[in-house]
């Protein structure tokens, strides 16, 4: 049954003068391995987190979208018939963008009240944006009886990604929205971003997932993300010229082929390509290591992923490097790496049960007492994707 906090139900009723009709729980995601591969048609292996957002909804008959973010203590009301101006970094752009994309897609979204609140850190590389988009989409579709028309969840992931591109100005891949929708308890999602289909990989019951949030966000993040995409496109063009055949994306290169052409690519493009091509191989190998319960192997792959992101893709930062370095010294930690887009945000570690305790103690002692900003330690587990309850 839905275990939404009573206080949120009360707030919704007081704020909007109606009982809630729909409740959605939308998780975040933490990517265990496979970074900056999704927009290169590669492999990723995220889990949906235990942390996420509640989105509570009820219909209204005046054609307005009224939204309150409880955590930000902000609210707004907009006429759904009016065009939505794109706005980078504004939380309401995600909500309004999703409504606009659904309406443009022919889904009958009418006036709706939405209350949003959650326990997922925002802007930390745990997909708060996707959690918000997916939660909003499911709430709007269900409240307006359009849920069935959206068809399968993969379609919903594409629509939410479109909203992020067009209204929040972030040219993200498909990983985040897909993970928020397709997560499953105790399973990692090995997603092939070319076919947009996945296999579920069991996570051994005695493994733990520990997230270490640096709580820093370096300002270059958004510009650098787009620049990395450009670097990858350049690498594809250059490799295609050298090979004399058509290449659609870096997914079309294996390690041996890349090695053969590497010397003829421009240096930066070559490094970016090497990260993506080796990372794809690491994700596939990690899926196997998880299946076999081989924590040591899975951990080695995570450390190698971090080194590649730091040295070849250049999206790490000193805080993340330090946390991964600390984790690597702790007994019972299988592996650790930065997770998400980079330039701050979170690292993720896979540990034994005792290792999780020891890692927390080590981070407090060796990082939090030394660094200007302490790392927030978040224990999580693989959860189900977004869920919806119709209650009214
Ligand atoms: C962000 C994007 C994802 C993905 C990661 C890097 O989280 O939203 O699509 O590209 O960065 O792996």
């Amino acid at each position: 049954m839905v275990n939404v906090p009573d206080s949120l139900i009360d707030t919704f009723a007081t704020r909007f003068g109606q009982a809630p009709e729909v409740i959605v729980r939308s998780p975040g995601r933490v990517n265990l391995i496979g970074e900056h591969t999704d927009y290169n048609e590669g492999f990723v292996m995220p889990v949906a987190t235990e942390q996420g957002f509640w989105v509570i909804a009820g219909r209204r008959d005046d054609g307005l979208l009224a939204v309150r973010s409880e955590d930000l203590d902000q609210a707004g009301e907009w006429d759904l018939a009016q065009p939505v101006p794109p706005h980078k970094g504004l939380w309401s752009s995600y909500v309004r963008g999703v409504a606009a994309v659904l309406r443009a897609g022919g889904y009958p979204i009418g006036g709706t009240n939405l209350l949003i609140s959650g326990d997922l850190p925002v802007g930390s590389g745990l997909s708060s944006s996707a959690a918000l988009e997916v939660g909003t989409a499911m709430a709007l579709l269900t409240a307006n009886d359009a849920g069935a028309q959206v068809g399968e969840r993969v379609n919903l992931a594409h629509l939410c990604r479109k909203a992020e591109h067009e209204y929040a100005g972030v040219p993200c891949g498909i990983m985040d929205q897909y993970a928020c929708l397709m997560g499953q308890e105790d399973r990692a999602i090995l997603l092939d971003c070319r076919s947009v289909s996945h296999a579920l990989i069991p996570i051994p019951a005695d493994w733990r997932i520990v997230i270490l949030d640096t709580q820093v966000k370096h300002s270059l993040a958004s510009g650098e993300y787009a620049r990395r995409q450009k670097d990858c496109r350049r690498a594809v063009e250059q490799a295609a010229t050298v090979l004399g055949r058509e290449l659609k994306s870096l997914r079309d290169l294996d390690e041996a082929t890349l090695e053969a052409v590497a010397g003829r690519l421009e240096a930066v493009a070559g490094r970016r390509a090497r990260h993506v091509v080796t990372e794809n191989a690491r994700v596939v190998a990690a899926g196997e290591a998880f299946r076999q319960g081989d924590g040591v192997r899975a951990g080695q792959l995570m450390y190698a992923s971090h080194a590649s992101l730091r040295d070849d893709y250049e999206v790490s930062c000193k805080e993340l490097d330090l946390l991964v370095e600390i984790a690597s010294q702790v007994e019972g930690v299988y592996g650790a790496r930065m997770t998400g887009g980079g330039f701050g945000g979170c690292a993720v570690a896979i540990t034994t049960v005792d290792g999780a305790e020891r890692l927390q103690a080590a981070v407090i002692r060796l990082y939090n007492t030394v660094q200007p900003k302490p790392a927030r330690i978040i224990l999580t587990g693989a959860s189900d994707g977004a869920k919806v309850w119709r209650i009214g």
Side-chain angles (χ1 to χ4, degrees):
M1 207 19 226
V2 47
N3 57 349
V4 61
D6 287 343
S7 58
L8 283 181
I9 301 285
D10 295 345
T11 305
F12 185 94
T14 315
R15 178 94 199 169
F16 296 117
Q18 67 170 167
E21 294 164 355
V22 173
I23 297 176
V24 179
R25 175 70 182 178
S26 183
R29 69 96 188 92
V30 62
N31 189 19
L32 301 181
I33 193 160
E35 218 65 76
H36 289 277
T37 44
D38 63 351
Y39 53 79
N40 288 301
E41 296 189 311
F43 296 102
V44 295
M45 201 168 86
V47 304
T49 56
E50 286 167 1
Q51 294 73 18
F53 287 128
W54 293 107
V55 181
I56 305 182
R59 282 296 314 272
R60 53 189 293 155
D61 53 19
D62 58 1
L64 296 184
L65 178 63
V67 191
R68 172 164 172 79
S69 162
E70 195 60 4
D71 308 328
L72 298 175
D73 193 18
Q74 286 179 20
E77 271 187 13
W78 302 276
D79 183 346
L80 282 164
Q82 293 301 313
V84 177
H87 199 306
K88 247 190 172 138
L90 196 63
W91 69 273
S92 55
S93 300
Y94 294 90
V95 179
R96 297 177 68 194
V98 165
V101 163
L102 290 175
R103 282 169 62 90
Y107 301 102
I109 305 300
T112 313
N113 294 317
L114 296 177
L115 177 70
I116 300 163
S117 178
D119 58 354
L120 182 67
V122 169
S124 289
L126 299 177
S127 277
S128 52
S129 318
L132 182 57
E133 291 151 18
V134 164
T136 299
M138 288 183 101
L140 288 175
L141 288 165
T142 311
N144 289 281
D145 294 321
Q149 296 169 41
V150 80
E152 28 133 39
R153 286 185 171 221
V154 179
N155 185 26
L156 197 52
H158 286 300
L159 290 170
C160 289
R161 179 187 181 201
K162 189 171 158 65
E164 182 149 347
H165 282 211
E166 291 179 4
Y167 294 95
V170 182
C172 60
I174 190 70
M175 166 169 68
D176 303 350
Q177 294 78 6
Y178 195 96
C180 293
L181 281 155
M182 297 300 204
Q184 197 164 306
E185 203 177 343
D186 301 331
R187 300 281 187 275
I189 307 156
L190 204 170
L191 166 63
D192 177 343
C193 300
R194 170 163 270 178
S195 62
V196 196
S197 62
H198 70 281
L200 289 170
I201 311 284
I203 302 176
D206 55 352
W207 291 13
R208 294 290 173 270
I209 302 172
V210 183
I211 297 170
L212 305 170
D213 181 0
T214 62
Q215 307 202 66
V216 301
K217 188 86 217 160
H218 295 294
S219 55
L220 22 104
S222 66
E224 290 294 322
Y225 186 83
R227 195 159 307 147
R228 292 299 177 281
Q229 294 185 332
K230 229 167 157 188
D231 292 346
C232 290
R233 282 197 296 274
R234 222 175 40 246
V236 171
E237 279 163 27
Q238 292 175 8
T241 308
V242 175
L243 289 166
R245 65 177 158 95
E246 211 178 295
L247 293 178
K248 195 161 165 269
S249 69
L250 287 174
R251 171 67 179 275
D252 293 323
L253 289 177
D254 57 25
E255 287 176 84
T257 315
L258 179 63
E259 194 135 309
V261 300
R264 301 187 47 198
L265 304 185
E266 189 189 306
V268 171
R271 285 205 302 277
R272 306 297 189 244
R274 184 167 58 197
H275 164 70
V276 173
V277 171
T278 57
E279 184 80 347
N280 279 335
R282 280 187 290 270
V283 178
V284 175
E288 212 34 59
F290 270 65
R291 274 200 192 98
Q292 290 169 3
D294 187 344
V296 173
R297 177 74 184 130
Q300 285 166 350
L301 293 160
M302 290 175 79
Y303 288 129
S305 167
H306 184 79
S308 177
L309 287 156
R310 180 191 62 209
D311 302 335
D312 278 345
Y313 219 67
E314 297 176 276
V315 290
S316 187
C317 61
K318 62 181 192 330
E319 293 87 351
L320 289 167
D321 293 345
L322 180 57
L323 283 169
V324 171
E325 172 65 29
I326 291 169
S328 74
Q329 315 275 325
V330 175
E331 197 194 328
V333 173
Y334 290 128
R337 55 183 286 281
M338 57 154 279
T339 185
F343 301 106
C346 294
V348 62
I350 297 289
T351 74
T352 61
V353 175
D354 294 345
E357 304 249 314
R358 278 195 287 267
L359 176 57
Q360 292 182 69
V363 167
I364 291 167
R365 188 162 51 86
L366 300 171
Y367 188 96
N368 288 4
T369 51
V370 184
Q371 294 298 308
K373 212 168 208 172
R376 177 164 37 184
I377 301 167
I378 304 167
L379 301 177
T380 197
S383 302
D384 287 336
K387 284 186 182 164
V388 59
W389 294 266
R390 196 171 227 311
I391 54 171

